[in-house]
Amino acid sequence: MKRIIPLLAISVRQTFYRFMAIAVLMSCTQAILFKRALEQLSADFYTYPDMFAPLETVVSESRIHLVFIAALILLCLVLAYSACDSGSKSIYTLKRLAVSQERICCLWTVYYFFCISALILWQLGLIIIFSKVYMASGPGLYSYSDAHTLFLAFWRNNFLHSIMPLEDISRHLRNISLIASLSMGITAFSFRQRTGKRSYSGILCLA
């Protein structure tokens, strides 16, 4: 335990502020895109009263899923390269701890899994906030209760359903396996870079 805590501290110190910067940048970009899409669809609705703009349509038109993909790729790059510099102070500290590479890789894989999961949860929180903005924007944009509107959006939109699969067990398992694959790929990439070898595992996992 005395060695695990310093290892976690090294990982957090290397990536926390970068993670927050990515999350905040993603939030601001998505907020702007969602606001523009909502304003456009609201204008279309009031021009053509027979049109109906459900939440999932606003999400699709805003293209916020592309922002999330970009943020995920950027986070993976940050995590991968944060542990690649063999001459950095953090790597020197690892050597002084005399911890085996196997234990370091296992611990960092778990930490990377947590970071990627945290970004997904951050995105889920943003979607809930956007849904509140959507449902407060005017009575003409939704026809069901708040909970029903959100449930239908998460069920009909593929991006939202992937972020929160609801009762879709297979989608939950797929998400877990993808996050685990990304985490192990990032760990393998950084390990091979530190040892002077080339690795394409991270690129393959992102693909």
Side-chain angles (χ1 to χ4, degrees), residues 5-34:
I5 293 177
L7 283 175
L8 287 176
I10 290 172
S11 300
V12 172
R13 184 171 64 248
Q14 286 180 321
T15 58
F16 177 76
Y17 291 108
R18 296 172 184 176
F19 172 85
M20 291 303 300
I22 293 172
V24 170
L25 181 61
M26 181 183 74
S27 303
C28 295
T29 305
Q30 288 188 346
I32 294 173
L33 293 176
F34 187 84

PDB file of all heavy atoms in Angstrom, residues 5-34:
ATOM      1  N   ILE A   5       0.171   4.071  -3.215  1.00  0.00           N
ATOM      2  CA  ILE A   5      -0.266   5.460  -3.090  1.00  0.00           C
ATOM      3  C   ILE A   5       0.643   6.416  -3.846  1.00  0.00           C
ATOM      4  O   ILE A   5       0.158   7.279  -4.589  1.00  0.00           O
ATOM      5  CB  ILE A   5      -0.382   5.849  -1.600  1.00  0.00           C
ATOM      6  CG1 ILE A   5      -1.517   5.052  -0.946  1.00  0.00           C
ATOM      7  CG2 ILE A   5      -0.627   7.346  -1.457  1.00  0.00           C
ATOM      8  CD1 ILE A   5      -1.669   5.310   0.535  1.00  0.00           C
ATOM      9  N   PRO A   6       1.987   6.304  -3.741  1.00  0.00           N
ATOM     10  CA  PRO A   6       2.838   7.176  -4.549  1.00  0.00           C
ATOM     11  C   PRO A   6       2.651   6.978  -6.047  1.00  0.00           C
ATOM     12  O   PRO A   6       2.716   7.940  -6.824  1.00  0.00           O
ATOM     13  CB  PRO A   6       4.259   6.787  -4.112  1.00  0.00           C
ATOM     14  CG  PRO A   6       4.096   6.253  -2.745  1.00  0.00           C
ATOM     15  CD  PRO A   6       2.778   5.541  -2.760  1.00  0.00           C
ATOM     16  N   LEU A   7       2.404   5.728  -6.461  1.00  0.00           N
ATOM     17  CA  LEU A   7       2.156   5.464  -7.884  1.00  0.00           C
ATOM     18  C   LEU A   7       0.905   6.184  -8.366  1.00  0.00           C
ATOM     19  O   LEU A   7       0.890   6.805  -9.435  1.00  0.00           O
ATOM     20  CB  LEU A   7       2.028   3.964  -8.117  1.00  0.00           C
ATOM     21  CG  LEU A   7       3.316   3.142  -8.139  1.00  0.00           C
ATOM     22  CD1 LEU A   7       2.997   1.668  -8.249  1.00  0.00           C
ATOM     23  CD2 LEU A   7       4.217   3.584  -9.268  1.00  0.00           C
ATOM     24  N   LEU A   8      -0.164   6.102  -7.577  1.00  0.00           N
ATOM     25  CA  LEU A   8      -1.395   6.799  -7.937  1.00  0.00           C
ATOM     26  C   LEU A   8      -1.196   8.302  -7.928  1.00  0.00           C
ATOM     27  O   LEU A   8      -1.736   9.026  -8.783  1.00  0.00           O
ATOM     28  CB  LEU A   8      -2.509   6.400  -6.967  1.00  0.00           C
ATOM     29  CG  LEU A   8      -3.083   4.991  -7.119  1.00  0.00           C
ATOM     30  CD1 LEU A   8      -4.093   4.711  -6.021  1.00  0.00           C
ATOM     31  CD2 LEU A   8      -3.711   4.822  -8.489  1.00  0.00           C
ATOM     32  N   ALA A   9      -0.420   8.784  -6.962  1.00  0.00           N
ATOM     33  CA  ALA A   9      -0.160  10.217  -6.880  1.00  0.00           C
ATOM     34  C   ALA A   9       0.572  10.713  -8.121  1.00  0.00           C
ATOM     35  O   ALA A   9       0.288  11.805  -8.632  1.00  0.00           O
ATOM     36  CB  ALA A   9       0.644  10.533  -5.624  1.00  0.00           C
ATOM     37  N   ILE A  10       1.503   9.912  -8.620  1.00  0.00           N
ATOM     38  CA  ILE A  10       2.227  10.275  -9.839  1.00  0.00           C
ATOM     39  C   ILE A  10       1.269  10.378 -11.025  1.00  0.00           C
ATOM     40  O   ILE A  10       1.300  11.343 -11.802  1.00  0.00           O
ATOM     41  CB  ILE A  10       3.334   9.240 -10.121  1.00  0.00           C
ATOM     42  CG1 ILE A  10       4.441   9.361  -9.076  1.00  0.00           C
ATOM     43  CG2 ILE A  10       3.904   9.433 -11.521  1.00  0.00           C
ATOM     44  CD1 ILE A  10       5.465   8.259  -9.166  1.00  0.00           C
ATOM     45  N   SER A  11       0.399   9.393 -11.162  1.00  0.00           N
ATOM     46  CA  SER A  11      -0.551   9.398 -12.280  1.00  0.00           C
ATOM     47  C   SER A  11      -1.502  10.580 -12.205  1.00  0.00           C
ATOM     48  O   SER A  11      -1.759  11.256 -13.204  1.00  0.00           O
ATOM     49  CB  SER A  11      -1.340   8.084 -12.286  1.00  0.00           C
ATOM     50  OG  SER A  11      -0.495   6.976 -12.430  1.00  0.00           O
ATOM     51  N   VAL A  12      -2.015  10.842 -11.011  1.00  0.00           N
ATOM     52  CA  VAL A  12      -2.960  11.947 -10.841  1.00  0.00           C
ATOM     53  C   VAL A  12      -2.264  13.275 -11.109  1.00  0.00           C
ATOM     54  O   VAL A  12      -2.822  14.165 -11.784  1.00  0.00           O
ATOM     55  CB  VAL A  12      -3.561  11.932  -9.418  1.00  0.00           C
ATOM     56  CG1 VAL A  12      -4.394  13.177  -9.180  1.00  0.00           C
ATOM     57  CG2 VAL A  12      -4.409  10.677  -9.226  1.00  0.00           C
ATOM     58  N   ARG A  13      -1.045  13.427 -10.602  1.00  0.00           N
ATOM     59  CA  ARG A  13      -0.320  14.677 -10.794  1.00  0.00           C
ATOM     60  C   ARG A  13      -0.036  14.935 -12.272  1.00  0.00           C
ATOM     61  O   ARG A  13      -0.060  16.070 -12.738  1.00  0.00           O
ATOM     62  CB  ARG A  13       0.999  14.646 -10.012  1.00  0.00           C
ATOM     63  CG  ARG A  13       1.779  15.957 -10.077  1.00  0.00           C
ATOM     64  CD  ARG A  13       2.944  15.956  -9.112  1.00  0.00           C
ATOM     65  NE  ARG A  13       3.936  14.942  -9.438  1.00  0.00           N
ATOM     66  CZ  ARG A  13       4.190  13.873  -8.696  1.00  0.00           C
ATOM     67  NH1 ARG A  13       3.499  13.651  -7.579  1.00  0.00           N
ATOM     68  NH2 ARG A  13       5.122  12.993  -9.040  1.00  0.00           N
ATOM     69  N   GLN A  14       0.202  13.884 -13.030  1.00  0.00           N
ATOM     70  CA  GLN A  14       0.506  14.031 -14.446  1.00  0.00           C
ATOM     71  C   GLN A  14      -0.715  14.366 -15.293  1.00  0.00           C
ATOM     72  O   GLN A  14      -0.589  15.011 -16.337  1.00  0.00           O
ATOM     73  CB  GLN A  14       1.135  12.741 -14.974  1.00  0.00           C
ATOM     74  CG  GLN A  14       2.561  12.512 -14.531  1.00  0.00           C
ATOM     75  CD  GLN A  14       3.112  11.211 -15.083  1.00  0.00           C
ATOM     76  OE1 GLN A  14       2.405  10.200 -15.149  1.00  0.00           O
ATOM     77  NE2 GLN A  14       4.359  11.225 -15.487  1.00  0.00           N
ATOM     78  N   THR A  15      -1.880  13.920 -14.876  1.00  0.00           N
ATOM     79  CA  THR A  15      -3.029  13.958 -15.786  1.00  0.00           C
ATOM     80  C   THR A  15      -4.238  14.750 -15.295  1.00  0.00           C
ATOM     81  O   THR A  15      -5.130  15.050 -16.097  1.00  0.00           O
ATOM     82  CB  THR A  15      -3.503  12.520 -16.078  1.00  0.00           C
ATOM     83  OG1 THR A  15      -3.841  11.866 -14.833  1.00  0.00           O
ATOM     84  CG2 THR A  15      -2.401  11.731 -16.765  1.00  0.00           C
ATOM     85  N   PHE A  16      -4.327  15.078 -14.004  1.00  0.00           N
ATOM     86  CA  PHE A  16      -5.562  15.660 -13.478  1.00  0.00           C
ATOM     87  C   PHE A  16      -5.916  16.972 -14.162  1.00  0.00           C
ATOM     88  O   PHE A  16      -7.044  17.142 -14.659  1.00  0.00           O
ATOM     89  CB  PHE A  16      -5.457  15.868 -11.960  1.00  0.00           C
ATOM     90  CG  PHE A  16      -6.672  16.538 -11.373  1.00  0.00           C
ATOM     91  CD1 PHE A  16      -7.844  15.826 -11.182  1.00  0.00           C
ATOM     92  CD2 PHE A  16      -6.648  17.884 -11.038  1.00  0.00           C
ATOM     93  CE1 PHE A  16      -8.974  16.438 -10.657  1.00  0.00           C
ATOM     94  CE2 PHE A  16      -7.768  18.503 -10.510  1.00  0.00           C
ATOM     95  CZ  PHE A  16      -8.929  17.786 -10.320  1.00  0.00           C
ATOM     96  N   TYR A  17      -4.981  17.907 -14.201  1.00  0.00           N
ATOM     97  CA  TYR A  17      -5.282  19.214 -14.771  1.00  0.00           C
ATOM     98  C   TYR A  17      -5.515  19.130 -16.277  1.00  0.00           C
ATOM     99  O   TYR A  17      -6.333  19.878 -16.835  1.00  0.00           O
ATOM    100  CB  TYR A  17      -4.155  20.199 -14.464  1.00  0.00           C
ATOM    101  CG  TYR A  17      -4.069  20.559 -12.993  1.00  0.00           C
ATOM    102  CD1 TYR A  17      -3.033  20.090 -12.195  1.00  0.00           C
ATOM    103  CD2 TYR A  17      -5.055  21.352 -12.395  1.00  0.00           C
ATOM    104  CE1 TYR A  17      -2.974  20.391 -10.844  1.00  0.00           C
ATOM    105  CE2 TYR A  17      -4.997  21.661 -11.043  1.00  0.00           C
ATOM    106  CZ  TYR A  17      -3.953  21.175 -10.271  1.00  0.00           C
ATOM    107  OH  TYR A  17      -3.894  21.473  -8.935  1.00  0.00           O
ATOM    108  N   ARG A  18      -4.829  18.218 -16.924  1.00  0.00           N
ATOM    109  CA  ARG A  18      -5.059  18.026 -18.353  1.00  0.00           C
ATOM    110  C   ARG A  18      -6.451  17.442 -18.600  1.00  0.00           C
ATOM    111  O   ARG A  18      -7.133  17.819 -19.560  1.00  0.00           O
ATOM    112  CB  ARG A  18      -3.978  17.105 -18.934  1.00  0.00           C
ATOM    113  CG  ARG A  18      -2.582  17.703 -18.866  1.00  0.00           C
ATOM    114  CD  ARG A  18      -1.524  16.701 -19.274  1.00  0.00           C
ATOM    115  NE  ARG A  18      -0.181  17.239 -19.110  1.00  0.00           N
ATOM    116  CZ  ARG A  18       0.934  16.548 -19.318  1.00  0.00           C
ATOM    117  NH1 ARG A  18       0.862  15.284 -19.716  1.00  0.00           N
ATOM    118  NH2 ARG A  18       2.113  17.107 -19.143  1.00  0.00           N
ATOM    119  N   PHE A  19      -6.833  16.505 -17.744  1.00  0.00           N
ATOM    120  CA  PHE A  19      -8.182  15.942 -17.852  1.00  0.00           C
ATOM    121  C   PHE A  19      -9.237  17.036 -17.668  1.00  0.00           C
ATOM    122  O   PHE A  19     -10.214  17.112 -18.430  1.00  0.00           O
ATOM    123  CB  PHE A  19      -8.389  14.850 -16.810  1.00  0.00           C
ATOM    124  CG  PHE A  19      -9.806  14.346 -16.725  1.00  0.00           C
ATOM    125  CD1 PHE A  19     -10.249  13.350 -17.570  1.00  0.00           C
ATOM    126  CD2 PHE A  19     -10.698  14.893 -15.808  1.00  0.00           C
ATOM    127  CE1 PHE A  19     -11.561  12.890 -17.509  1.00  0.00           C
ATOM    128  CE2 PHE A  19     -12.007  14.446 -15.739  1.00  0.00           C
ATOM    129  CZ  PHE A  19     -12.434  13.436 -16.585  1.00  0.00           C
ATOM    130  N   MET A  20      -9.057  17.872 -16.672  1.00  0.00           N
ATOM    131  CA  MET A  20     -10.014  18.939 -16.420  1.00  0.00           C
ATOM    132  C   MET A  20     -10.069  19.927 -17.584  1.00  0.00           C
ATOM    133  O   MET A  20     -11.141  20.410 -17.953  1.00  0.00           O
ATOM    134  CB  MET A  20      -9.658  19.670 -15.126  1.00  0.00           C
ATOM    135  CG  MET A  20      -9.854  18.839 -13.864  1.00  0.00           C
ATOM    136  SD  MET A  20     -11.554  18.223 -13.684  1.00  0.00           S
ATOM    137  CE  MET A  20     -12.477  19.771 -13.645  1.00  0.00           C
ATOM    138  N   ALA A  21      -8.912  20.206 -18.168  1.00  0.00           N
ATOM    139  CA  ALA A  21      -8.882  21.120 -19.313  1.00  0.00           C
ATOM    140  C   ALA A  21      -9.660  20.539 -20.493  1.00  0.00           C
ATOM    141  O   ALA A  21     -10.429  21.252 -21.159  1.00  0.00           O
ATOM    142  CB  ALA A  21      -7.437  21.401 -19.715  1.00  0.00           C
ATOM    143  N   ILE A  22      -9.467  19.243 -20.745  1.00  0.00           N
ATOM    144  CA  ILE A  22     -10.203  18.584 -21.834  1.00  0.00           C
ATOM    145  C   ILE A  22     -11.700  18.589 -21.548  1.00  0.00           C
ATOM    146  O   ILE A  22     -12.514  18.866 -22.438  1.00  0.00           O
ATOM    147  CB  ILE A  22      -9.683  17.147 -22.017  1.00  0.00           C
ATOM    148  CG1 ILE A  22      -8.247  17.162 -22.532  1.00  0.00           C
ATOM    149  CG2 ILE A  22     -10.587  16.355 -22.961  1.00  0.00           C
ATOM    150  CD1 ILE A  22      -7.590  15.783 -22.559  1.00  0.00           C
ATOM    151  N   ALA A  23     -12.081  18.274 -20.313  1.00  0.00           N
ATOM    152  CA  ALA A  23     -13.498  18.218 -19.951  1.00  0.00           C
ATOM    153  C   ALA A  23     -14.158  19.592 -20.064  1.00  0.00           C
ATOM    154  O   ALA A  23     -15.282  19.712 -20.575  1.00  0.00           O
ATOM    155  CB  ALA A  23     -13.651  17.678 -18.533  1.00  0.00           C
ATOM    156  N   VAL A  24     -13.472  20.625 -19.609  1.00  0.00           N
ATOM    157  CA  VAL A  24     -14.038  21.975 -19.683  1.00  0.00           C
ATOM    158  C   VAL A  24     -14.143  22.433 -21.133  1.00  0.00           C
ATOM    159  O   VAL A  24     -15.155  23.033 -21.542  1.00  0.00           O
ATOM    160  CB  VAL A  24     -13.176  22.962 -18.864  1.00  0.00           C
ATOM    161  CG1 VAL A  24     -13.604  24.399 -19.117  1.00  0.00           C
ATOM    162  CG2 VAL A  24     -13.271  22.639 -17.377  1.00  0.00           C
ATOM    163  N   LEU A  25     -13.107  22.168 -21.922  1.00  0.00           N
ATOM    164  CA  LEU A  25     -13.150  22.532 -23.340  1.00  0.00           C
ATOM    165  C   LEU A  25     -14.280  21.803 -24.054  1.00  0.00           C
ATOM    166  O   LEU A  25     -14.999  22.398 -24.868  1.00  0.00           O
ATOM    167  CB  LEU A  25     -11.802  22.207 -23.992  1.00  0.00           C
ATOM    168  CG  LEU A  25     -11.679  22.545 -25.486  1.00  0.00           C
ATOM    169  CD1 LEU A  25     -11.871  24.040 -25.717  1.00  0.00           C
ATOM    170  CD2 LEU A  25     -10.315  22.099 -26.018  1.00  0.00           C
ATOM    171  N   MET A  26     -14.448  20.526 -23.768  1.00  0.00           N
ATOM    172  CA  MET A  26     -15.549  19.754 -24.350  1.00  0.00           C
ATOM    173  C   MET A  26     -16.893  20.338 -23.934  1.00  0.00           C
ATOM    174  O   MET A  26     -17.809  20.474 -24.765  1.00  0.00           O
ATOM    175  CB  MET A  26     -15.454  18.292 -23.915  1.00  0.00           C
ATOM    176  CG  MET A  26     -16.534  17.401 -24.490  1.00  0.00           C
ATOM    177  SD  MET A  26     -16.463  15.679 -23.889  1.00  0.00           S
ATOM    178  CE  MET A  26     -17.102  15.882 -22.212  1.00  0.00           C
ATOM    179  N   SER A  27     -17.021  20.714 -22.674  1.00  0.00           N
ATOM    180  CA  SER A  27     -18.280  21.264 -22.171  1.00  0.00           C
ATOM    181  C   SER A  27     -18.638  22.573 -22.872  1.00  0.00           C
ATOM    182  O   SER A  27     -19.783  22.754 -23.309  1.00  0.00           O
ATOM    183  CB  SER A  27     -18.182  21.495 -20.660  1.00  0.00           C
ATOM    184  OG  SER A  27     -17.862  20.302 -19.980  1.00  0.00           O
ATOM    185  N   CYS A  28     -17.671  23.455 -22.987  1.00  0.00           N
ATOM    186  CA  CYS A  28     -17.929  24.759 -23.613  1.00  0.00           C
ATOM    187  C   CYS A  28     -18.288  24.597 -25.093  1.00  0.00           C
ATOM    188  O   CYS A  28     -19.234  25.227 -25.585  1.00  0.00           O
ATOM    189  CB  CYS A  28     -16.705  25.661 -23.460  1.00  0.00           C
ATOM    190  SG  CYS A  28     -16.322  26.119 -21.751  1.00  0.00           S
ATOM    191  N   THR A  29     -17.546  23.741 -25.784  1.00  0.00           N
ATOM    192  CA  THR A  29     -17.810  23.530 -27.211  1.00  0.00           C
ATOM    193  C   THR A  29     -19.184  22.913 -27.431  1.00  0.00           C
ATOM    194  O   THR A  29     -19.953  23.349 -28.292  1.00  0.00           O
ATOM    195  CB  THR A  29     -16.727  22.626 -27.823  1.00  0.00           C
ATOM    196  OG1 THR A  29     -15.439  23.178 -27.566  1.00  0.00           O
ATOM    197  CG2 THR A  29     -16.932  22.498 -29.325  1.00  0.00           C
ATOM    198  N   GLN A  30     -19.515  21.907 -26.636  1.00  0.00           N
ATOM    199  CA  GLN A  30     -20.818  21.267 -26.781  1.00  0.00           C
ATOM    200  C   GLN A  30     -21.954  22.207 -26.408  1.00  0.00           C
ATOM    201  O   GLN A  30     -23.021  22.179 -27.026  1.00  0.00           O
ATOM    202  CB  GLN A  30     -20.876  20.002 -25.928  1.00  0.00           C
ATOM    203  CG  GLN A  30     -20.034  18.864 -26.458  1.00  0.00           C
ATOM    204  CD  GLN A  30     -20.258  17.582 -25.700  1.00  0.00           C
ATOM    205  OE1 GLN A  30     -20.849  17.554 -24.623  1.00  0.00           O
ATOM    206  NE2 GLN A  30     -19.780  16.477 -26.241  1.00  0.00           N
ATOM    207  N   ALA A  31     -21.747  23.035 -25.407  1.00  0.00           N
ATOM    208  CA  ALA A  31     -22.787  23.990 -25.003  1.00  0.00           C
ATOM    209  C   ALA A  31     -23.093  24.962 -26.128  1.00  0.00           C
ATOM    210  O   ALA A  31     -24.265  25.279 -26.406  1.00  0.00           O
ATOM    211  CB  ALA A  31     -22.352  24.734 -23.746  1.00  0.00           C
ATOM    212  N   ILE A  32     -22.047  25.444 -26.794  1.00  0.00           N
ATOM    213  CA  ILE A  32     -22.245  26.372 -27.920  1.00  0.00           C
ATOM    214  C   ILE A  32     -22.984  25.686 -29.061  1.00  0.00           C
ATOM    215  O   ILE A  32     -23.944  26.234 -29.626  1.00  0.00           O
ATOM    216  CB  ILE A  32     -20.883  26.914 -28.396  1.00  0.00           C
ATOM    217  CG1 ILE A  32     -20.250  27.791 -27.307  1.00  0.00           C
ATOM    218  CG2 ILE A  32     -21.048  27.713 -29.692  1.00  0.00           C
ATOM    219  CD1 ILE A  32     -18.838  28.222 -27.620  1.00  0.00           C
ATOM    220  N   LEU A  33     -22.548  24.479 -29.411  1.00  0.00           N
ATOM    221  CA  LEU A  33     -23.187  23.752 -30.512  1.00  0.00           C
ATOM    222  C   LEU A  33     -24.633  23.403 -30.187  1.00  0.00           C
ATOM    223  O   LEU A  33     -25.522  23.518 -31.057  1.00  0.00           O
ATOM    224  CB  LEU A  33     -22.391  22.480 -30.819  1.00  0.00           C
ATOM    225  CG  LEU A  33     -20.986  22.685 -31.392  1.00  0.00           C
ATOM    226  CD1 LEU A  33     -20.284  21.339 -31.544  1.00  0.00           C
ATOM    227  CD2 LEU A  33     -21.040  23.405 -32.725  1.00  0.00           C
ATOM    228  N   PHE A  34     -24.880  22.962 -28.968  1.00  0.00           N
ATOM    229  CA  PHE A  34     -26.249  22.604 -28.578  1.00  0.00           C
ATOM    230  C   PHE A  34     -27.152  23.832 -28.579  1.00  0.00           C
ATOM    231  O   PHE A  34     -28.302  23.764 -29.033  1.00  0.00           O
ATOM    232  CB  PHE A  34     -26.239  21.965 -27.193  1.00  0.00           C
ATOM    233  CG  PHE A  34     -27.569  21.422 -26.763  1.00  0.00           C
ATOM    234  CD1 PHE A  34     -27.975  20.156 -27.149  1.00  0.00           C
ATOM    235  CD2 PHE A  34     -28.429  22.182 -25.980  1.00  0.00           C
ATOM    236  CE1 PHE A  34     -29.204  19.649 -26.762  1.00  0.00           C
ATOM    237  CE2 PHE A  34     -29.664  21.688 -25.594  1.00  0.00           C
ATOM    238  CZ  PHE A  34     -30.053  20.415 -25.981  1.00  0.00           C
TER     239      PHE A  34
END
